[in-house]
Amino acid sequence: MSSRALPYRPHNHAACVSQALAEAKAICQQQNARLTPTRERVLELIWQSHKPLGAYDVLAKLTSEGHNAAPPTVYRALDFLQQYGLVHRIASLNAFTGCTHAGEHHTGMFLICRACGNVLELMESSVTTAIENAASAEAFQPEAITLEVAGLCPGCQTDQHHE
Amino acid sequence: MSSRALPYRPHNHAACVSQALAEAKAICQQQNARLTPTRERVLELIWQSHKPLGAYDVLAKLTSEGHNAAPPTVYRALDFLQQYGLVHRIASLNAFTGCTHAGEHHTGMFLICRACGNVLELMESSVTTAIENAASAEAFQPEAITLEVAGLCPGCQTDQHHE
DNA sequence: CTGCAAATGTTATAATGTTGCAAATCTTGC
DNA sequence: GCAAGATTTGCAACATTATAACATTTGCAG
Ligand SMILES: [Zn+2]
Ligand SMILES: [Zn+2]
Ligand SMILES: [Zn+2]
Ligand SMILES: [Zn+2]
């Protein structure tokens, strides 16, 4: 899988988005899942934004481009995209972000900058292992891990005075 | 600090609650914070429930006992209790649970049973360290960690057929 | 007592997410 | 191609969670 630019580093974002879409198409084809136009457009809108988008943000964008959309339109698309591992929901933000490791079986760890709003998704097996060990010690059988770290990204640490 | 019974193990829950309240009073006194009757009652209601309570669950209980309460009443009490580390908000449930390590500086890790709804709060330095190391490797400065693990508690693993 | 700050009451509203059902669209076997 | 069934979408209403704004009351210091 290709490496991706960090969200807060300058990069060709259009290419970054279209690559994500291409991968999504491939994943859906492989799993016999239908990446319909609405679903694809929702995924694209989420990818175009570096910061996680709320469901109603997505809805507003769809509406503004003439799509006759209502909340269920968006939530259904988001459910689909989550189901196939193409987006993640960030519980602490009530928002959605494109998965940067789609297709790879993983539990994401999210570094969320409280200043600029950018989110970096990591895949750290050492963290996952530590969590699973801690759960095992309590005889707990984990199924889904929500791990969201709020703080300051490298670019915003020196910018503290801008707050 | 006293050890606490696991939530899904039978125990004297009234004692468990009153101990938590006594500790809360001590903590507030030490910090010159006012644990007013409403705040104390909200904390008690949350502790009395083994499962995390939603803000509107708390509101309903207050209302049912004659308290003239509105949503801000509850949210303000919850804000206060969170601020002094007496309750935690579980982002993946939009609900609140009593902190079992109040007074100890910690980041909680929550094991949430999807079958019975009980939540166990752990304090695992190995997990916290792994997370901080992963953040450091990205030059990210963590401030708050949300770690919630959904799965099956020991008691519910054999009960799968009851679902 | 007086004046200030903290806490609470009260009303309204914002933000987020769901249910239920009908219409349209796609797929599949023939 | 075509009918039957499954999936997806449109649409309206509703449910849940959280906050804003401002008036009133309460606790406390001087
Ligand atoms: Zn991911
Ligand atoms: Zn930043
Ligand atoms: Zn805690
Ligand atoms: Zn359980």
Side-chain angles (χ1 to χ4, degrees):
Chain A
M1 167 128 322
S2 62
S3 75
R4 281 180 196 282
L6 297 179
Y8 38 79
R9 296 291 294 271
H11 61 284
N12 181 344
H13 195 48
C16 168
V17 172
S18 65
Q19 185 190 336
L21 285 178
E23 288 171 7
K25 274 177 205 170
I27 287 168
C28 286
Q29 202 149 35
Q30 210 163 18
Q31 314 213 9
N32 270 320
R34 292 169 53 198
L35 189 61
T36 62
T38 303
R39 291 166 175 174
E40 186 176 349
R41 184 69 185 125
V42 168
L43 180 59
E44 188 175 13
L45 287 169
I46 287 176
W47 263 101
Q48 278 170 352
S49 164
H50 271 157
K51 309 173 190 188
L53 281 185
Y56 279 75
D57 296 332
V58 174
L59 177 57
K61 299 204 186 222
L62 285 181
T63 301
S64 80
E65 51 191 45
H67 190 301
N68 195 351
T73 309
V74 175
Y75 282 103
R76 286 193 285 227
L78 290 170
D79 285 348
F80 172 89
L81 295 170
Q82 279 184 269
Q83 196 176 333
Y84 287 93
L86 303 174
V87 306
H88 293 285
R89 179 171 192 275
I90 310 290
S92 58
L93 299 177
N94 293 336
F96 300 83
T97 192
C99 176
T100 52
H101 308 85
E104 306 171 63
H105 188 265
H106 69 293
T107 36
M109 160 173 175
F110 300 91
L111 304 181
I112 305 165
C113 180
R114 68 165 163 79
C116 68
N118 282 324
V119 170
L120 177 60
E121 177 181 355
L122 299 183
M123 211 169 44
E124 268 300 324
S125 59
S126 62
V127 171
T128 307
T129 301
I131 292 170
E132 282 167 353
N133 286 344
S136 274
E138 301 291 336
F140 187 93
Q141 194 173 88
E143 290 172 351
I145 296 175
T146 299
L147 176 48
E148 301 168 11
V149 181
L152 287 176
C153 80
C156 293
Q157 285 168 31
T158 51
D159 280 355
Q160 284 249 38
H161 52 285
H162 284 164
E163 246 183 279
Chain B
M1 168 130 320
S2 61
S3 75
R4 282 180 195 282
L6 297 179
Y8 38 78
R9 296 292 293 272
H11 62 285
N12 181 342
H13 195 48
C16 169
V17 172
S18 64
Q19 185 191 337
L21 285 178
E23 288 172 7
K25 275 177 204 169
I27 287 167
C28 287
Q29 202 149 34
Q30 210 163 20
Q31 313 213 10
N32 269 321
R34 291 170 53 200
L35 189 60
T36 62
T38 303
R39 291 166 175 173
E40 185 176 348
R41 185 67 185 127
V42 169
L43 180 58
E44 189 175 12
L45 287 169
I46 287 176
W47 263 101
Q48 278 171 352
S49 164
H50 273 157
K51 308 173 191 187
L53 281 184
Y56 280 74
D57 296 332
V58 174
L59 177 58
K61 298 203 186 224
L62 285 181
T63 301
S64 80
E65 51 191 45
H67 189 302
N68 195 352
T73 309
V74 174
Y75 281 102
R76 287 195 283 230
L78 290 171
D79 284 349
F80 171 88
L81 295 170
Q82 280 185 269
Q83 195 176 332
Y84 287 93
L86 302 175
V87 306
H88 292 286
R89 180 173 191 275
I90 310 291
S92 58
L93 299 177
N94 293 336
F96 300 83
T97 192
C99 175
T100 51
H101 308 85
E104 307 170 62
H105 189 265
H106 70 292
T107 37
M109 160 173 175
F110 300 92
L111 304 182
I112 305 166
C113 180
R114 69 165 162 78
C116 68
N118 282 324
V119 169
L120 176 61
E121 177 181 355
L122 299 182
M123 211 170 42
E124 268 300 324
S125 60
S126 62
V127 172
T128 307
T129 301
I131 293 171
E132 282 168 353
N133 287 344
S136 276
E138 300 291 337
F140 188 93
Q141 195 173 88
E143 291 172 350
I145 296 175
T146 299
L147 176 48
E148 301 169 11
V149 182
L152 287 176
C153 80
C156 294
Q157 285 168 31
T158 51
D159 280 356
Q160 285 249 41
H161 52 286
H162 284 164
E163 246 181 279

